[in-house]
Amino acid sequence: MLIGRNEETARLNALLGQVLGGLGGAVVLRGEAGIGKTALLNSMVEAAGDLSVVRLEGIESEMQLGYAALHRLLLPYLSRLEHLPEPQRDALQSAFGLTSLAPADRFLVGLAALSLLGDVAQVDPLLIVVDDAQWLDRESVATLVFVARRLHADRIALVFAARESLEIGAVFQGVPELGVRGLDDESARHLLTASVTAPVSYQVAGRIIAVTRGNPLALKELSSELTSDHLIEHALLPDPLPIGELIEARFLRQVRQLPDETQTILLVAAADPEGDPQTLRRAGEELGLSFTATEPAVDEGLLVVDPRIEFRHPLVRSAVYSGATTEERRCAHHALANVMDVELDPDRRALHMALGAVGPDEELAVALEQSATHARSRGGYAAETALLVRSANLTPDPQRRASRLLAAAHAASLAGNASHSASLQQARPCLVDPIEKAQAQCLEGNHRHSLGEPHLGPSLLIGAARAFEPLDRGLSHYALLEAFVALGSAMHLTEGTTGVEVAQTALKSLSAQSTPTTAADRLLKGVALRYCGNYADAVPVMREAVRAQATMSPEEINRWQQGIVLAEDLWTRRCIETLWVGTKTQRAHWDHWRPYRSHFFRWSKMTCDQAGLLRRETATPSFTTSRPRWAVSSKSTICSMCNCWLGRGTG
């Protein structure tokens, strides 16, 4: 029975009752290490009753492998993939590397996971508990949070436990929270007394509770470390007492009491996220160790070896790995790499080889670059970023290193991490290729909005477009489209250029083009005319641009958002539908928004109707006699706006 957790237990039990009643729900438990999140999850599992329970644990060393955690969660249900709609099935298979299709669309991966789990829950209601969610790979946690936000009529309870941090708060935005704090004074004293066999003085208990802030794991672990003389004030307490991250040092002290061979094989186990006993056995033999070296750790309750290698607590794994020297960690990873099949698992082998490398190694850098390509093909942009950074760090040639860092920055940008992407441009001065220099400037321009400087983005992007112009006109047009997107964010605060200048630059480039016109070219022309031309003259080109965009790939549509702006600017059902239902992926998006479409078009029709009424009103004599002077003076402006809404030019 949990001590002092009545409120939290009641909240979790209410969620279980909700699922048994036919409705789904989610919650994220947030708190520091050792605060009792895992104990609450275990209590919930025990109370699950008729619910099928699925457990998932985040593994720190697996964070760089895109969709790794999601694969572990859904692996038992992959036989049900045939029940999914084709776009969702293709996306999930691409994410898991089961097909050679295009990179997975993350929206469709989320829908596929939701559909697959919902299909399972129709047979038996599900309780999914995810412990140490802060160590899930970025793609998996994004998908699971996507699912959590959409649980309603599905009989699924999705419960996360994650350590407290600002980043975690942003990741789980929109998911109900349950903060897990330290125990109150009375409950903490109860737990402390129950954890030791000797009596504890009131003052000593108060000191321990104050320093640990009621952290249950710290209370239990520290009380077992103190002597009876400490507890009854016959000896001074250690000062300071460890807390928070220092709890890991407590576990490490336990590990240091084990034989050297056991400590070494524990390090190999901590370095391997798979937890496969056979892999650990072979890696141990590579280091001259017998698998029996694990027995002292098993006897101490630190490790379980059957059916999988599991540590008693995630902090044990963290303490073992972080407490080892750099050379010791390299040896462990090198041993793991040597026993992995280069044909069956090349990516994991390359990663272990990189972690075991001593210095720059171009051959290894190339292998990691190939692993990054595999990650990108599955839509794992965060994993691609991490692998490219490792590849760059192992690259001996400065120029090649700069090129790989630029590729990593681009991948980080696609993953939605602009600040990390900007930090990776440290090697920009080493770039030699003019195209790469322009790409770096284009990337920097795109980052300005996310980094709080949107006013600088358009000028950087138009500069990049001019640099691209003599080298690659297609890339130049891409930069100009991005400049228009940046202008939409910066608006009147833009510095260094104007919307008209960007539009004129685009039209000049398009007029000089001798190659066949692409869908992106039509889109650029439509946007440019919208900025510097007559609205009525721009409408036919805008319509052609929207129709052309329907032939683009989903990635291109996501990249060039100006097509959506043009479609909204035209305010016609045909243009919106043309934009959104051109491909299977777009149709899936369109179907997802089906309940809202009628409201959208009703609102656009209402806007045009109101514009017509306003235009007629300004034409009446009473408008000029019953309105203040400022309203009369703006009559022409109002008429122009209304005519634009109605598609009648500026007259």
Side-chain angles (χ1 to χ4, degrees):
M1 178 179 177
L2 295 179
I3 298 173
R5 295 301 188 193
N6 294 338
E7 183 178 344
E8 293 89 342
T9 302
R11 172 88 175 270
L12 296 176
N13 287 342
L15 179 57
L16 291 176
Q18 180 177 315
V19 173
L20 289 171
L23 297 177
V27 67
V28 54
L29 308 181
R30 291 180 57 188
E32 66 182 16
I35 203 65
K37 303 182 295 295
T38 300
L40 283 167
L41 292 181
N42 292 338
S43 175
M44 191 178 188
V45 169
E46 291 175 3
D50 295 333
L51 274 70
S52 294
V53 178
V54 182
R55 301 199 69 148
L56 180 66
E57 180 183 307
I59 298 174
E60 188 175 11
S61 57
E62 206 174 44
M63 291 178 67
Q64 299 170 356
L65 302 173
Y67 294 112
L70 185 69
H71 182 262
R72 283 190 283 129
L73 175 68
L74 299 182
L75 186 59
Y77 311 122
L78 292 185
S79 60
R80 297 173 175 264
L81 282 179
E82 294 302 320
H83 299 172
L84 298 179
E86 183 180 353
Q88 297 181 22
R89 182 173 66 251
D90 291 347
L92 199 58
Q93 289 179 329
S94 175
F96 292 166
L98 302 176
T99 180
S100 58
L101 294 175
D105 180 277
R106 285 183 285 181
F107 177 83
L108 287 179
V109 172
L111 283 181
L114 178 60
S115 300
L116 190 58
L117 292 171
D119 184 52
V120 174
Q122 287 182 0
V123 180
D124 290 308
L126 280 179
L127 168 60
I128 304 172
V129 292
V130 184
D131 205 0
D132 283 326
Q134 75 278 356
W135 288 339
L136 295 177
D137 61 275
R138 185 165 180 165
E139 288 80 8
S140 292
V141 74
T143 301
L144 291 175
V145 170
F146 177 97
V147 171
R149 294 188 185 118
R150 287 159 177 81
L151 293 177
H152 179 61
D154 303 284
R155 299 188 301 168
I156 301 172
L158 180 51
V159 185
F160 301 92
R163 291 187 187 179
E164 191 74 64
S165 71
L166 293 176
E167 183 180 357
I168 286 296
V171 167
F172 287 96
Q173 187 175 6
V175 180
E177 264 185 37
L178 177 56
V180 184
R181 303 291 176 254
L183 298 174
D184 59 73
D185 189 88
E186 181 180 353
S187 300
R189 288 180 184 276
H190 184 184
L191 178 62
L192 184 59
T193 303
S195 301
V196 296
T197 55
V200 185
S201 78
Y202 189 88
Q203 290 76 13
V204 169
R207 169 79 190 284
I208 295 174
I209 293 168
V211 174
T212 60
R213 299 181 185 176
N215 184 300
L217 182 60
L219 285 167
K220 294 173 70 175
E221 296 294 337
L222 291 176
S223 64
S224 66
E225 193 174 52
L226 298 175
T227 66
S228 57
D229 287 342
H230 287 133
L231 297 175
I232 59 177
E233 290 188 280
H234 286 180
L236 292 175
L237 289 172
D239 187 26
L241 290 174
I243 184 175
E245 294 180 357
L246 295 180
I247 298 175
E248 291 186 1
R250 166 68 182 90
F251 288 118
L252 194 57
R253 284 196 293 275
Q254 287 181 277
V255 173
R256 291 292 179 254
Q257 296 173 12
L258 299 172
D260 291 344
E261 295 83 359
T262 302
Q263 293 185 44
T264 301
I265 204 162
L266 277 178
L267 175 58
V268 177
D272 178 29
E274 287 298 290
D276 178 23
Q278 294 305 316
T279 300
L280 181 60
R281 184 188 301 275
R282 293 195 302 271
E285 292 172 352
E286 185 80 11
L287 297 171
L289 300 173
S290 168
F291 193 71
T292 57
T294 60
E295 290 176 359
V298 174
D299 294 340
E300 288 294 323
L302 292 174
L303 192 71
V304 175
V305 296
D306 188 24
R308 296 181 67 254
I309 304 295
E310 291 184 4
F311 286 84
R312 177 182 56 147
H313 193 285
L315 290 176
V316 179
R317 178 193 292 273
S318 180
V320 169
Y321 191 81
S322 61
T325 66
T326 302
E327 181 59 28
E328 288 170 338
R329 288 196 292 266
R330 283 173 178 163
C331 288
H333 285 293
H334 190 70
L336 286 165
N338 286 344
V339 300
M340 288 187 174
D341 193 308
V342 67
E343 297 294 334
L344 297 178
D345 209 349
D347 294 345
R348 289 186 189 277
R349 184 179 184 278
L351 185 58
H352 281 297
M353 288 291 290
L355 292 169
V358 177
D361 186 327
E362 178 61 24
E363 183 179 350
L364 187 51
V366 170
L368 285 172
E369 195 171 31
Q370 291 172 347
S371 295
T373 302
H374 298 158
R376 182 186 181 90
S377 69
R378 298 190 297 268
Y381 298 116
E384 179 192 9
T385 304
L387 290 166
L388 284 170
V389 169
R390 288 193 180 278
S391 174
N393 291 338
L394 291 170
T395 303
D397 179 60
Q399 296 178 8
R400 189 76 187 105
R401 179 177 183 273
S403 297
R404 284 171 174 154
L405 282 175
L406 176 62
H410 180 64
S413 181
L414 291 174
N417 195 341
S419 58
H420 183 43
S421 181
S423 71
L424 292 175
Q425 295 210 56
Q426 57 186 283
R428 183 174 171 183
C430 296
L431 293 172
V432 175
D433 184 8
I435 286 186
E436 288 187 338
K437 287 183 176 181
Q439 286 174 331
Q441 182 172 344
C442 189
L443 203 55
E444 182 184 356
N446 284 326
H447 292 157
R448 290 304 97 191
H449 175 74
S450 299
L451 299 179
E453 298 175 328
H455 57 289
L456 301 178
S459 59
L460 286 167
L461 287 162
I462 193 174
R466 287 168 175 159
F468 277 132
E469 180 71 17
L471 305 169
D472 189 318
R473 184 162 275 140
L475 291 177
S476 176
H477 292 176
Y478 160 68
L480 288 167
L481 282 166
E482 291 294 334
F484 281 121
V485 174
L487 282 165
S489 299
M491 296 187 290
H492 63 286
L493 300 176
T494 301
E495 294 181 5
T497 189
T498 64
V500 172
E501 182 184 7
V502 176
Q504 290 174 342
T505 302
L507 292 174
K508 181 179 179 181
S509 176
L510 288 166
S511 65
Q513 182 170 320
S514 58
T515 56
T517 303
T518 66
D521 296 334
R522 294 187 180 93
L523 179 59
L524 180 62
K525 184 176 181 180
V527 177
L529 286 175
R530 182 69 186 88
Y531 262 84
C532 65
N534 181 284
Y535 179 84
D537 294 340
V539 165
V541 180
M542 290 162 62
R543 286 178 175 156
E544 183 183 359
V546 171
R547 285 193 295 269
Q549 195 177 13
T551 66
M552 293 180 178
S553 69
E555 188 177 18
E556 288 176 312
I557 287 185
N558 290 334
R559 177 187 298 168
W560 294 316
Q561 302 171 25
Q562 286 298 329
I564 300 172
V565 175
L566 289 184
E568 291 175 346
D569 224 5
L570 292 168
W571 290 114
T572 67
R573 179 186 295 266
R574 179 174 298 175
C575 285
I576 298 291
E577 289 184 344
T578 298
L579 175 64
W580 281 106
V581 301
T583 70
K584 289 189 294 185
T585 300
Q586 296 153 12
R587 281 196 296 273
H589 284 285
W590 182 246
D591 291 340
H592 176 70
W593 289 101
R594 185 184 300 276
Y596 310 102
R597 289 183 299 190
S598 60
H599 300 291
F600 177 80
F601 291 119
R602 190 179 302 118
W603 177 67
S604 64
K605 182 180 183 299
M606 180 184 69
T607 304
C608 291
D609 291 343
Q610 290 177 341
L613 290 172
L614 184 58
R615 185 174 186 277
R616 288 194 292 275
E617 181 183 350
T618 56
T620 62
S622 61
F623 180 84
T624 55
T625 58
S626 61
R627 300 293 192 279
R629 180 174 297 177
W630 65 264
V632 176
S633 64
S634 64
K635 174 181 176 180
S636 60
T637 302
I638 295 173
C639 288
S640 297
M641 291 171 60
C642 295
N643 283 330
C644 285
W645 276 106
L646 298 169
R648 298 177 183 171
T650 58

